[in-house]
Amino acid sequence: MNAFVLYGILLFLLWTHLNHYKIKVLLSLLIITIILAMGVSRIYLGVHHPSDIFGGYLISGFWLTVVILYARYHKEKNKKT
């Protein structure tokens, strides 16, 4: 879950600061692949059940969404003042 959120925030920051669309898409695909590979590896190694991984993805996605929405809100709030 921590890696999902860490890579997600990293992707969000890079997405907002990079100008080249092709680089944004390439980084997005790379980070999504890393996140999915980590989940699949946990299942393959027998450390977690698939439902654990799916639940972790849902919770992490929710948390990442909250953080990104807060960051955008905070940016807009500071822009107005």
Side-chain angles (χ1 to χ4, degrees):
M1 286 176 53
N2 291 331
F4 185 110
V5 174
L6 175 71
Y7 288 131
I9 290 174
L10 179 64
L11 181 62
F12 170 70
L13 291 173
L14 289 173
W15 189 268
T16 57
H17 294 294
L18 292 176
N19 295 327
H20 299 291
Y21 181 73
K22 289 182 181 180
I23 294 175
K24 289 180 179 182
V25 171
L26 182 65
L27 284 173
S28 298
L29 291 174
L30 178 67
I31 289 177
I32 289 169
T33 302
I34 290 171
I35 291 170
L36 291 175
M38 277 192 276
V40 170
S41 72
R42 305 312 292 172
I43 295 169
Y44 178 76
L45 294 172
V47 180
H48 295 289
H49 296 288
S51 60
D52 298 340
I53 302 301
F54 184 69
Y57 283 162
L58 287 177
I59 294 170
S60 300
F62 173 75
W63 181 247
L64 184 61
T65 302
V66 168
V67 170
I68 289 172
L69 290 175
Y70 177 76
R72 286 185 174 180
Y73 168 76
H74 188 62
K75 184 178 179 180
E76 289 296 320
K77 182 180 172 186
N78 286 339
K79 188 185 289 186
K80 291 178 182 178
T81 58

